[in-house]
Amino acid sequence: MAKQTVRDLDVKGKRVLVRVDFNVPIKDGKITNDNRIVSALPTINYLTEHGAKVILMSHLGKIDHKDPEKCEAGKKKNNMAPVAERLQELVSGKVTFVPVTRGEELENAIAAMNEGDIVLMQNTRYEKGESKNDPDLAAYWAGLGDLFVSDAFGSVHRAHASTVGIATHLPSACGFLVQKEIENLSAAIDNPKRPLVAILGGAKVSDKIAVIENLLNIADKVIVGGGMAYTFLKAQGKEIGTSLLEEDRIEMAKEFLAKGGDKLILPVDSVVANAFENATEVKTVSNDEIPAGFMGLDIGPKSVELFKQELQGAKTVVWNGPMGVFENPAYANGTIEVCKAISELPEAMTVIGGGDSAAAAIQLGFKDKFTHISTGGGASLEYMEGKELPGIAIIQEK
């Protein structure tokens, strides 16, 4: 990797600002999944062990600065205090939580740090200027440290003050999590062992237009499942009942079908129901025979077999998006079977691009069966689109 990593910095005795992704789910003041905190530990522990004074910053949830009432409610809901509590249980050094994002209390806490100490400051989104990459805010934050480490892969596609702004003022490097993400995504997409098979699912074609476009250029096969498949089936002239359809994307789907040819693989059957919730009739039908009044909610068994067949011999697989409404066990089979098929491929590099497919793989117990599961849905999606990620681009070259 051409970017500096944390190993390239001399951190002893230095104040190191680390942008982490602690955007964890919190219910009734308790963290329900600490995966993102655990993912940041290698970088945090490396820095404390090498004598750095570690200042952690992260966003948490969304805060609406336009409406004073909503803003206050957002701040209350997205306070970093529970994160500090959990972090203290996971590290051996002292964690000091500072409930503000600027001012004397924060400056004093940093001034009082010893080597190996950790300060976690309040949610960066408490600041209105964070998401606008406000130059004054970025300069202020940069003034609190000597070095900057980017380790929040889930946020590197956003040009915010804490992801990009600070790095314009300080020597910078990638943390281990960001390094691992870039190395794996790059190996799968920029320099794949062939054949490269991409599997795309999820609800909407519109969310994945640029991904489909880019992958049709670079992959050997592109398999499409999930709700987005029905717009393609409609573009082929098939009747799709009440299945999810993006009318305004039919022409584009036709273009993709023409461009993709044999490379673009669509499902051949579906599990359909007469209602999205509380269905009284669920059946499996060929995609040539979806009845009026029924909607496709999962790929059927013949599609599963077809997709398995198309995966045979793949040396690299990139997967983004579930094959159906996997949250409902009645429509989870397609996602489970595809997940299983990818995980069992011999000697293949298998990468999940974050988001729902990552959640599905982890939930279904396949976490350790993939080469890499990305921690950033939006960031990995933009990487698959071939876009430059601003939070990576700004980091200094080796």
Side-chain angles (χ1 to χ4, degrees):
M1 186 160 129
K3 296 290 177 185
Q4 284 205 128
T5 75
V6 66
R7 289 187 198 278
D8 297 311
L9 301 175
D10 174 15
V11 301
K12 189 168 168 55
K14 301 271 175 50
R15 299 167 302 163
V16 184
L17 290 164
V18 189
R19 176 55 160 98
V20 286
D21 182 2
F22 287 169
N23 186 26
V24 292
I26 296 176
K27 200 177 176 187
D28 305 324
K30 286 273 169 256
I31 293 169
T32 56
N33 181 343
D34 66 359
N35 189 31
R36 286 181 167 170
I37 302 174
V38 172
S39 299
L41 293 177
T43 298
I44 295 168
N45 291 336
Y46 174 89
L47 288 168
T48 55
E49 282 158 20
H50 285 79
K53 299 170 182 179
V54 181
I55 304 151
L56 301 174
M57 45 202 325
S58 173
H59 76 284
L60 178 60
K62 290 190 168 94
I63 292 173
D64 183 357
H65 287 278
K66 292 189 189 85
D67 179 327
E69 212 169 290
K70 280 185 186 165
C71 182
E72 274 319 299
K75 285 181 175 180
K76 202 173 164 191
K77 182 186 171 203
N78 298 307
N79 188 321
M80 293 294 271
V83 177
E85 219 171 287
R86 181 68 187 121
L87 182 64
Q88 184 64 83
E89 293 166 2
L90 293 167
V91 295
S92 53
K94 185 177 83 161
V95 176
T96 303
F97 174 58
V98 183
V100 294
T101 46
R102 63 164 93 204
E104 213 170 306
E105 191 180 352
L106 178 61
E107 290 155 25
N108 291 344
I110 292 169
M113 290 176 89
N114 294 314
E115 290 183 7
D117 284 352
I118 297 168
V119 160
L120 172 65
M121 67 183 230
Q122 186 55 280
N123 184 352
T124 58
R125 288 197 180 159
Y126 272 38
E127 292 284 349
K128 193 178 175 179
E130 153 73 323
S131 53
K132 296 184 175 77
N133 192 9
D134 179 285
D136 295 335
L137 178 63
Y140 173 76
W141 278 342
L144 301 171
D146 305 302
L147 302 166
F148 175 70
V149 172
S150 169
D151 210 31
F153 184 71
S155 299
V156 292
H157 59 308
R158 299 193 175 103
H160 288 181
S162 66
T163 56
V164 170
I166 296 172
T168 59
H169 298 276
L170 293 175
S172 59
C174 295
F176 296 128
L177 176 68
V178 164
Q179 179 186 4
K180 185 176 146 197
E181 289 275 8
I182 295 299
E183 283 172 356
N184 279 294
L185 288 168
S186 175
I189 289 164
D190 307 329
N191 196 14
K193 285 194 176 135
R194 295 194 178 273
L196 162 60
V197 179
I199 303 181
L200 297 174
K204 295 179 172 178
V205 179
S206 51
D207 294 343
K208 307 265 166 91
I209 289 168
V211 182
I212 299 169
E213 214 154 8
N214 195 35
L215 290 174
L216 278 176
N217 289 328
I218 60 177
D220 298 288
K221 285 176 193 164
V222 177
I223 296 172
V224 173
M228 63 194 269
Y230 296 98
T231 299
F232 283 95
L233 296 172
K234 188 76 176 172
Q236 287 180 327
K238 297 185 196 292
E239 287 306 322
I240 59 167
T242 55
S243 305
L244 195 65
L245 171 67
E246 288 179 280
E247 287 273 6
D248 59 336
R249 301 296 180 195
I250 292 175
E251 285 311 310
M252 181 167 276
K254 283 180 182 170
E255 283 169 34
F256 285 148
L257 287 163
K259 183 183 174 183
D262 296 345
K263 198 190 254 196
L264 192 59
I265 319 290
L266 292 172
V268 290
D269 63 346
S270 293
V271 176
V272 299
N274 61 351
F276 183 73
E277 278 174 16
N278 309 319
T280 54
E281 205 181 335
V282 178
K283 53 189 179 181
T284 301
V285 297
S286 154
N287 282 342
D288 292 318
E289 294 161 7
I290 296 175
F294 279 75
M295 60 175 68
L297 296 170
D298 193 12
I299 57 171
K302 285 181 179 162
S303 302
V304 168
E305 287 315 308
L306 170 68
F307 291 2
K308 278 184 182 172
Q309 211 176 309
E310 296 292 348
L311 281 164
Q312 288 314 305
K315 286 286 171 259
T316 308
V317 179
V318 180
W319 176 30
N320 187 293
M323 297 292 103
V325 187
F326 80 97
E327 302 86 349
N328 183 333
Y331 314 120
N333 188 59
T335 301
I336 294 169
E337 289 300 323
V338 165
C339 197
K340 211 188 276 181
I342 303 170
S343 73
E344 288 167 358
L345 289 171
E347 293 163 30
M349 178 176 193
T350 53
V351 173
I352 303 183
D356 284 342
S357 29
I362 293 164
Q363 207 176 304
L364 300 167
F366 289 95
K367 190 180 176 183
D368 304 324
K369 299 280 193 336
F370 286 81
T371 310
H372 181 64
I373 298 180
S374 180
T375 55
S380 59
L381 207 57
E382 290 199 11
Y383 196 99
M384 288 180 192
E385 290 172 8
K387 281 186 185 165
E388 183 178 73
L389 304 174
I392 302 287
I394 194 77
I395 301 300
Q396 282 173 298
E397 304 286 324
K398 271 193 198 286

